[in-house]
Amino acid sequence: MVATSPHKSLKDILIQQELLTVDQLNVALEEQRRHPKMLAEILLDLKLISPSLLQNALSLVTGLPVVDLKSITLDQKALSLLSLEIWMDLGAVAFGWRGNVLCVAMADPENILLVDRLKQNLFEAHDIPQVQFYHADSQAIESYINQSKEFSLIHFPTEKIDDSVIELVDSILAHAVKAGASDIHFQPEKQVVRIRYRLDGILKTLQTLHKTMWPTLSVRLKVMSGMDISESRRPQNGRFTRQIAGHEVDFRMSSHPTVYGENIVTRLLDKDKSLLSLNDLGFVPEQIEYLKKVSELPQGMIIVSGPTGSGKTTTLYALFSQMNSETRNIMTLEEPVEYQLPGIRQTEIKEGGVVSFSDGVRSILRQDPDVIFIGEIRDEATAKMALRSAMTGHLVIATLHTSDSFGVPSRLIDLGIHPNLLSGHVICSVSQRLVRKICSECQGDGCVKCDQLGLKGRIVLSEILPFNEDIDKIVARGGNRTELKQYALEHNYKIMKDDAAFKLTTGLISQAEIKRVLG
């Protein structure tokens, strides 16, 4: 970034630091002329800059430091100096002390009226004369305050739900997030309630409780996710968001009636989780090179296949993150949107909602797209719309449930696509599985880091089938999975077992793990 001189205005800083273009700034200034508000607020409303970059720019204007509240441990004593309502109203939060000086983060520390109100409140209530102000974005301040609300809920419980149950649920959620679990299972049985979490694809028992705890425990879970606590005979879905260990986590909850009571499963989606690269996921260099090359093609279909939980969406997000969204209009249809990607227009498809995948593709085609991502091709209408898009000058990337890359054509034919139409329009099919890696700390012996399993983290086993004229001919005559795999073997294509063998010899994975996943 370019160095700045003091006494610059915010708009000067934004241009000098190359955080905005002149065109973008002019748009914001025109919006400010029409609707008088602070320039910073307008920039956020228009999504022209991220909250963190804006606070850094404001810091250069005011000379006040920036604080990352996500990395700050909740200081309940400092926060309790004023009511949460006052903090929220002022857009500020106290997060600690430096000697006798109170540290306060504000979204707008240049607002003299708000600063004066805050100082007056602090002085009248607690005789605090000195305050050091910091910049922080409003969402981070709100999340910090919400953490305090959760703290109050744990320590000052409602009459309806016992405080031990509230603490138990919170500890289970926090443990799962910190461990990196993808799902939590609450399973009532005849005499007990078994609580398990899925870590690196494997379910593990976290806790076993007596069955008498299940009524209040299930009510707590259902209240948190907005479910109907009076309904226990029908499946329900719900969701909620929480800040845990500095991370904003989405919890998607579903209940299902069983003979021993409602089974509840929670999917964890960590919004702050870093996106992995194709290399981090375990793709070898030649595969990465090929995927990057085909992702730049103007039209055709790239199909990623594999069972549920094989990491298909994560792979595609890694692919999108290295695509140029400045020169291409990339649009997605997902169920759900797991990560929000800058520069990419993402749409969430909800089960039973007003927009289906096929309707969504039809609508996107009117939005001048270059790249269309379809979360899952699951019916004939979606398959035909996807193929039509690929035939009319768009790059379509989609997922499909098949056992391997060789079964993709057969599955599309089963969904109603004529074999002749696939020829020349499918670029490649990719298939993958996730396997657990040997722990890098103990090399498989078992340690605290890997919970004595000797395995920690996962990588993909993958295969790519590039379509060519020969493969198109096999597909056009209705050739099945067996014929395609035979062709690949005869022409020395690398299949998934070859990838597994390579990663076994390099010491990344074990023979037992290969057998567990591939058989």
Side-chain angles (χ1 to χ4, degrees), residues 119-135:
K119 286 182 176 179
Q120 184 178 355
N121 274 290
L122 289 169
F123 187 77
E124 289 177 352
H126 301 281
D127 192 20
I128 296 175
Q130 288 187 290
V131 179
Q132 169 65 55
F133 288 100
Y134 291 77
H135 283 276

Side-chain angles (χ1 to χ4, degrees), residues 8-80:
K8 291 269 187 179
S9 67
L10 176 60
K11 59 184 181 182
D12 290 335
I13 294 290
L14 293 169
I15 295 298
Q16 190 172 357
Q17 294 283 308
E18 299 179 358
L19 298 173
L20 285 184
T21 65
V22 174
D23 287 343
Q24 289 172 325
L25 179 59
N26 287 336
V27 168
L29 293 174
E30 175 62 20
E31 182 68 15
Q32 187 181 40
R33 186 183 70 79
R34 293 170 179 269
H35 303 96
K37 287 194 292 188
M38 297 291 291
L39 177 59
E41 190 177 352
I42 288 172
L43 292 171
L44 291 176
D45 288 344
L46 296 176
K47 293 183 169 36
L48 292 175
I49 191 171
S50 70
S52 59
L53 287 178
L54 176 61
Q55 291 302 327
N56 288 332
L58 287 169
S59 174
L60 293 173
V61 175
T62 64
L64 297 175
V66 177
V67 63
D68 179 11
L69 290 175
K70 291 181 180 179
S71 64
I72 301 293
T73 303
L74 180 68
D75 189 329
Q76 192 67 21
K77 185 176 179 181
L79 195 57
S80 64

Side-chain angles (χ1 to χ4, degrees), residues 324-393:
N324 190 342
S325 60
E326 276 291 319
T327 60
R328 306 170 88 186
N329 182 17
I330 303 172
M331 304 189 74
T332 77
L333 298 168
E334 306 172 57
E335 184 187 6
V337 172
E338 295 187 18
Y339 300 94
Q340 294 182 9
L341 302 173
I344 294 178
R345 277 136 292 282
Q346 297 170 271
T347 300
E348 184 159 285
I349 302 295
K350 295 183 179 179
E351 186 177 355
V354 294
V355 179
S356 65
F357 277 109
S358 58
D359 293 334
V361 178
R362 191 175 288 106
S363 176
I364 280 178
L365 287 174
R366 304 187 189 104
Q367 296 283 307
D368 186 30
D370 296 297
V371 181
I372 301 172
F373 167 48
I374 304 171
E376 184 183 345
I377 296 178
R378 60 175 65 160
D379 53 45
E380 181 177 357
T382 307
K384 287 184 174 179
M385 286 302 303
L387 184 60
R388 174 186 164 191
S389 303
M391 295 170 68
T392 55

Side-chain angles (χ1 to χ4, degrees), residues 210-401:
H210 194 273
K211 185 69 174 290
T212 54
M213 292 194 67
W214 185 232
T216 52
L217 185 58
S218 62
V219 166
R220 175 61 178 159
L221 292 168
K222 291 170 77 172
V223 166
M224 291 171 70
S225 56
M227 293 185 191
D228 183 355
I229 61 173
S230 65
E231 178 59 70
S232 59
R233 294 172 297 177
R234 291 186 305 169
Q236 294 189 67
N237 294 305
R239 62 187 293 180
F240 62 95
T241 301
R242 276 206 168 185
Q243 282 278 342
I244 295 180
H247 292 258
E248 186 175 354
V249 183
D250 255 0
F251 295 88
R252 312 287 176 97
M253 199 167 288
S254 69
S255 69
H256 182 80
T258 72
V259 292
Y260 294 123
E262 288 179 282
N263 198 77
I264 294 178
V265 176
T266 305
R267 167 62 58 89
L268 283 63
L269 297 173
D270 189 341
K271 291 184 175 181
D272 296 330
K273 190 176 180 181
S274 299
L275 286 174
L276 299 174
S277 67
L278 292 171
N279 182 63
D280 293 332
L281 290 171
F283 286 91
V284 297
E286 54 266 31
Q287 290 176 327
I288 295 173
E289 185 71 26
Y290 177 80
L291 289 174
K292 286 183 177 180
K293 182 178 72 174
V294 297
S295 69
E296 296 301 322
L297 293 175
Q299 67 183 66
M301 288 180 71
I302 298 172
I303 305 291
V304 179
S305 67
T308 300
S310 60
K312 300 185 295 294
T313 302
T314 303
T315 292
L316 290 173
Y317 277 15
L319 191 60
F320 291 142
S321 66
Q322 54 87 41
M323 294 171 72
N324 190 342
S325 60
E326 276 291 319
T327 60
R328 306 170 88 186
N329 182 17
I330 303 172
M331 304 189 74
T332 77
L333 298 168
E334 306 172 57
E335 184 187 6
V337 172
E338 295 187 18
Y339 300 94
Q340 294 182 9
L341 302 173
I344 294 178
R345 277 136 292 282
Q346 297 170 271
T347 300
E348 184 159 285
I349 302 295
K350 295 183 179 179
E351 186 177 355
V354 294
V355 179
S356 65
F357 277 109
S358 58
D359 293 334
V361 178
R362 191 175 288 106
S363 176
I364 280 178
L365 287 174
R366 304 187 189 104
Q367 296 283 307
D368 186 30
D370 296 297
V371 181
I372 301 172
F373 167 48
I374 304 171
E376 184 183 345
I377 296 178
R378 60 175 65 160
D379 53 45
E380 181 177 357
T382 307
K384 287 184 174 179
M385 286 302 303
L387 184 60
R388 174 186 164 191
S389 303
M391 295 170 68
T392 55
H394 307 90
L395 180 64
V396 177
I397 303 174
T399 72
L400 192 68
H401 283 290

